Amino acid sequence: MSTTPNANPASHANPHTGAAGQRPPHMATRLAHGLLAVRNEDGSVTLEMAQPLTLQAEELEDLVTDLAGLRAELDPPYPLDCPPLCALEPCYTPRHWVACDPLTGKILLFLRHHLFGWLGIVQTPEASLEMLKSVAVEMKKLELSERSPGQGLH
């Protein structure tokens, strides 16, 4: 999380962060565009502004990135299991970009979400193959359900 305005949260080591990545209660962090985030003892965060903000799309993206970094530090953490589909905001046919990073031997997958912009995933070739297999299984289910519509999808 950034401690200076307009900074990339991943690019800063923060001396106020503990070993588990948790900030002590009442630790203030300056987010993009002067927004101040204060961690409360109950685990919540209070956001404070000195004045109203008017933001263009790129400036709002900076703030969303900082807020996402703040969310990643909160407890409880993101659930490991995917929530029910009805609880998600799906992105239909997103633009995507895939590449191999020859320096690390990892696969880079970027998806453009209509709400959150470009989301990057870095994974091993083995994990990428597992993802590909999962997609193939779901495509096979679709193919089978088209042949016998009474079966439906689960």
Side-chain angles (χ1 to χ4, degrees):
M1 176 171 15
S2 72
T3 55
T4 58
N6 299 319
N8 180 350
S11 67
H12 292 286
N14 192 322
H16 302 297
T17 303
Q22 296 296 317
R23 293 181 186 279
H26 303 296
M27 176 59 63
T29 302
R30 179 100 23 217
L31 303 178
H33 312 291
L35 191 65
L36 189 66
V38 179
R39 182 177 300 275
N40 301 315
E41 288 183 20
D42 67 357
S44 64
V45 172
T46 299
L47 300 176
E48 300 174 0
M49 295 187 316
Q51 58 189 7
L53 291 176
T54 301
L55 304 174
Q56 299 297 325
E58 284 184 25
E59 297 166 324
L60 189 56
E61 186 172 340
D62 291 341
L63 186 55
V64 168
T65 299
D66 279 356
L67 290 171
L70 185 62
R71 170 59 184 101
E73 292 180 358
L74 291 181
D75 194 25
Y78 292 111
L80 293 177
D81 295 327
C82 186
L85 292 177
C86 63
L88 298 174
E89 176 68 37
C91 183
Y92 295 95
T93 317
R95 291 185 60 144
H96 67 279
W97 180 76
V98 180
C100 176
D101 182 351
L103 296 176
T104 63
K106 303 284 172 101
I107 303 298
L108 310 174
L109 170 62
F110 292 89
L111 299 170
R112 187 183 178 283
H113 191 278
H114 66 285
L115 297 177
F116 302 109
W118 286 97
L119 306 173
I121 299 168
V122 179
Q123 53 188 11
T124 64
E126 296 80 13
S128 296
L129 187 55
E130 283 302 312
M131 182 185 285
L132 184 59
K133 287 178 183 177
S134 297
V135 170
V137 166
E138 295 305 313
M139 290 178 67
K140 188 68 171 175
K141 288 179 187 177
L142 282 175
E143 180 183 304
L144 292 174
S145 70
E146 288 175 0
R147 284 192 210 150
S148 40
Q151 301 251 324
L153 295 177
H154 303 288

